[in-house]
Amino acid sequence: MMLFCTQGVLNVCLSSLFRFIQEIEMNMGPGQAKQCQLRAFLTYYINDLFLNQVRTEINKEIESVSKAADPLKILASADTMKVLGVQRPLLQGGNSGGRSLHRERPLKGGQVLDSKRCSLGERSMGMGTAMGSLPPSSTVVVEKSIQDLMSLMQDLSAYSNQFLEMVCDKLKEYKEICNTAYRAVVQCEEKLTISASWSKDEDISRLLQSLPNWANMAQPRQTRQKREDEEDFTRAAFAKESEVLTGNLGDKLIPQNEILRDVSDLKALANLHESMEWLAGRLKTFFTNLPHTSSASPCSADSQAVGESERSREQILQTLSDLSRGFQDIADRCLLVLHLEQGNYAIVANVESMDYDPLVVKLNKDISAVEEAMGAALQQHKFQYIFEGLGHLISCILINGAQYFKRISESGIKKMCRNIFVLQQNLTNITMSREADLDFARQYYEMLYNTADELLNLVVDQGVRYTELEYINALSLLHRSQTGVGDLSTQNVRLQRLKEIICEQAAIKQATKDKKITTV
């Protein structure tokens, strides 16, 4: 026997049946019942059988997604990517399982076209291309099931609240699956990694999301409005971030098990981020078009029942809105963790060794590995975000590291300047910006070519460019490294003179500023 479509819950043409029933009832004589027997049977079928069948199929799909082993790291095959028409790797989640939940359209000759596959291909060429990379298959399965339920809601508007409740239940379960997958990556022995812990901290996450580099992700670089003080403004923002992160860490060392060293873990977070953001956007589109009132049930059209239905619908719509924000929150957390991890690499490399040659080699290797993985998994503006501010943080770490050197020679200074240049070149190739903060670090070490007394004259001639503590560290390092710097008393006099120069320079700067204000 030739089938025009495979057996399935959604292939029952209920909307057509209801139109047929309406035609029958319109042609019924005045002496006949107001409702035909077919309507009564169909109402019974929907309430007692059909809705339960839909729930069962949905549960099968969620179960298949939840049973996938290591769902964030299983990539789709090259053949699958070719069929979908995408250039970036996709995660291969669990099998959809619920085959009969999806509508199928008949083709000529009795062939069957699976509309799930068709619509997925359409999205990969449309929405998916715009997003840069498509979400994991599990996310696509969930999104397609939501689409099917929304279609059912339109066909059977009297039962819209029941279908919306199913949508809520499905999304709640899937959100928990995604949270579990996220924790599996960022949690070790019941403890979150340091980056995940910071991203969960409301104060730190609020600060990071208030900085211009986070806001800039919403628009391409070429369309952003230029500020006159763009460089100073951005540098001040990066300085604030570096200060908070290093200050939050204090003198504590980051344990190795609190760093995501495995690049595949970072890639998994990137894929989860793209998926959650994509799903949140799709849900927002779905729910924006939902009517805020529901049709009365065919079995109860009294005012009390209608009022309860409307209150129930408002609660459901609020829950759906909260779930959409919840998926976006997961996406944001993933991106913040990826951003913070790059800084943690620099911090850990610094405390592991004060021999900066292996430090730079290791740090460059880590940065390059992350660049390769993230370039394939994230959209370009997000890829740039996770590295933005890293140059400033590395600069702070390198300058702060001067206090830990026992001594430094001219060859050691040359080596430091070369290492800084190598880091700067690598980061510049990634972020496509100058990374001027590393110039700042290189110039700090170039100061050490001077004698202790020449350093004091340099501060007078050039003005104050570093903090008082950074100048004191530099002068103290020169005292430890050079001969003929005098006894301890002479060194203390020189340190005191340095502090006086800094105060004098600050007074001159303030007086100049006041004069400009008075002139204006």
Side-chain angles (χ1 to χ4, degrees):
M1 182 177 67
M2 185 178 296
L3 294 177
F4 284 94
C5 63
T6 59
Q7 295 179 345
V9 174
L10 298 190
N11 288 331
V12 178
C13 302
L14 295 172
S15 59
S16 299
L17 278 174
F18 272 118
R19 285 195 298 270
F20 177 60
I21 289 170
Q22 287 176 344
E23 290 181 14
I24 293 175
E25 291 176 346
M26 286 175 63
N27 293 313
M28 289 173 66
Q32 295 176 292
K34 292 183 179 179
Q35 291 186 353
C36 70
Q37 291 184 352
L38 183 56
R39 178 183 289 277
F41 169 77
L42 202 55
T43 300
Y44 159 77
Y45 168 73
I46 292 173
N47 286 326
D48 288 17
L49 297 175
F50 181 75
L51 294 177
N52 289 331
Q53 286 178 320
V54 173
R55 286 193 187 94
T56 300
E57 294 300 337
I58 288 175
N59 291 336
K60 285 181 182 179
E61 291 197 343
I62 282 291
E63 186 178 358
S64 70
V65 169
S66 63
K67 286 183 177 180
D70 211 357
L72 299 182
K73 297 184 181 180
I74 305 173
L75 295 178
S77 67
D79 290 340
T80 302
M81 290 174 61
K82 186 177 180 181
V83 169
L84 296 177
V86 295
Q87 300 300 318
R88 297 174 187 265
L90 308 181
L91 287 177
Q92 186 70 47
N95 188 17
S96 64
R99 179 174 62 92
S100 61
L101 181 62
H102 300 283
R103 296 177 186 264
E104 295 177 340
R105 299 200 304 263
L107 296 178
K108 292 181 180 179
Q111 295 177 332
V112 172
L113 172 65
D114 186 348
S115 67
K116 179 182 74 170
R117 180 172 179 179
C118 177
S119 60
L120 177 57
E122 291 166 359
R123 286 197 298 275
S124 71
M125 297 302 291
M127 175 69 75
T129 303
M131 290 300 297
S133 62
L134 280 175
S137 295
S138 60
T139 308
V140 174
V141 168
V142 169
E143 186 269 347
K144 183 62 179 71
S145 297
I146 301 301
Q147 269 194 20
D148 290 335
L149 288 171
M150 300 294 282
S151 297
L152 276 175
M153 191 184 73
Q154 292 177 354
D155 293 342
L156 303 173
S157 57
Y159 300 89
S160 60
N161 281 3
Q162 287 93 321
F163 291 123
L164 285 176
E165 286 175 352
M166 292 183 201
V167 171
C168 282
D169 292 341
K170 187 178 184 73
L171 290 177
K172 284 177 183 177
E173 290 185 55
Y174 187 59
K175 182 184 171 186
E176 185 54 39
I177 290 171
C178 294
N179 275 320
T180 301
Y182 170 78
R183 288 193 296 269
V185 175
V186 301
Q187 190 168 301
C188 179
E189 298 177 356
E190 302 300 320
K191 189 174 182 180
L192 292 173
T193 61
I194 192 73
S195 58
S197 178
W198 284 351
S199 70
K200 190 179 179 181
D201 185 285
E202 289 187 4
D203 292 332
I204 294 178
S205 61
R206 190 185 305 113
L207 167 70
L208 293 175
Q209 291 176 317
S210 70
L211 296 177
N213 53 341
W214 180 271
N216 286 343
M217 284 194 294
Q219 58 183 138
R221 178 175 294 183
Q222 59 270 23
T223 64
R224 298 173 197 162
Q225 188 175 359
K226 293 291 184 181
R227 297 172 55 105
E228 291 183 4
D229 58 343
E230 181 77 29
E231 187 173 332
D232 292 339
F233 178 75
T234 303
R235 190 171 186 277
F238 290 157
K240 190 174 183 180
E241 179 179 340
S242 298
E243 180 184 353
V244 169
L245 296 184
T246 54
N248 195 60
L249 188 62
D251 296 329
K252 296 182 295 184
L253 301 182
I254 302 179
Q256 285 294 337
N257 64 347
E258 291 189 30
I259 295 288
L260 294 176
R261 285 292 191 187
D262 191 341
V263 175
S264 66
D265 286 336
L266 300 179
K267 191 172 182 180
L269 288 178
N271 283 309
L272 182 58
H273 161 79
E274 290 286 359
S275 303
M276 296 296 95
E277 184 167 84
W278 180 82
L279 182 58
R282 296 293 293 157
L283 294 178
K284 187 176 180 181
T285 301
F286 288 155
F287 305 149
T288 300
N289 299 323
L290 276 178
H292 287 269
T293 57
S294 58
S295 301
S297 169
C299 300
S300 57
D302 58 276
S303 58
Q304 182 179 355
V306 171
E308 291 178 357
S309 176
E310 296 308 323
R311 285 192 294 274
S312 174
R313 190 179 187 82
E314 287 179 6
Q315 293 174 354
I316 294 170
L317 292 177
Q318 183 59 51
T319 301
L320 291 173
S321 178
D322 292 342
L323 284 166
S324 179
R325 283 197 299 271
F327 286 114
Q328 185 61 54
D329 287 343
I330 297 174
D332 291 344
R333 279 207 310 274
C334 290
L335 199 58
L336 286 175
V337 168
L338 291 171
H339 177 71
L340 290 167
E341 276 299 322
Q342 308 319 303
N344 289 343
Y345 283 173
I347 293 171
V348 170
N350 180 64
V351 300
E352 283 179 345
S353 171
M354 285 310 299
D355 183 356
Y356 276 91
D357 272 346
L359 179 156
V360 172
V361 170
K362 180 175 179 57
L363 192 53
N364 261 325
K365 185 178 179 180
D366 288 340
I367 290 172
S368 297
V370 173
E371 176 199 11
E372 183 178 355
M374 295 300 99
L378 286 176
Q379 298 172 63
Q380 183 61 28
H381 59 290
K382 298 173 186 176
F383 167 79
Q384 288 181 338
Y385 167 74
I386 66 172
F387 291 101
E388 284 182 339
L390 182 57
H392 187 281
L393 182 59
I394 293 174
S395 175
C396 291
I397 290 171
L398 293 174
I399 292 173
N400 185 61
Q403 63 184 304
Y404 301 111
F405 283 110
K406 292 182 179 179
R407 61 185 61 85
I408 192 168
S409 62
E410 283 198 12
S411 62
I413 296 170
K414 289 179 182 177
K415 193 180 292 185
M416 279 299 300
C417 291
R418 185 191 66 220
N419 288 336
I420 292 170
F421 175 76
V422 170
L423 281 169
Q424 184 180 31
Q425 192 175 41
N426 195 9
L427 277 177
T428 297
N429 290 336
I430 294 172
T431 63
M432 305 304 292
S433 61
R434 169 65 185 163
E435 295 296 338
D437 291 304
L438 288 169
D439 283 331
F440 198 63
R442 176 179 51 78
Q443 291 160 6
Y444 179 83
Y445 279 94
E446 287 175 347
M447 286 196 311
L448 301 178
Y449 282 124
N450 296 283
T451 64
D453 290 321
E454 287 172 345
L455 177 60
L456 298 182
N457 294 330
L458 191 68
V459 178
V460 174
D461 294 339
Q462 293 184 351
V464 177
R465 301 185 61 217
Y466 303 92
T467 66
E468 180 178 310
L469 180 60
E470 288 166 352
Y471 276 118
I472 290 174
N473 289 338
L475 185 57
S476 299
L477 179 56
L478 289 176
H479 286 160
R480 297 194 298 271
S481 304
Q482 296 177 353
T483 58
V485 292
D487 57 17
L488 185 60
S489 176
T490 304
Q491 294 176 17
N492 287 336
V493 169
R494 198 177 282 117
L495 283 170
Q496 184 59 38
R497 178 57 187 150
L498 173 64
K499 294 177 183 179
E500 291 172 358
I501 292 172
I502 291 172
C503 289
E504 290 168 3
Q505 291 292 318
I508 292 171
K509 185 176 181 180
Q510 184 61 45
T512 304
K513 185 178 179 180
D514 292 342
K515 186 177 181 181
K516 286 182 179 179
I517 294 173
T518 304
T519 304
V520 173

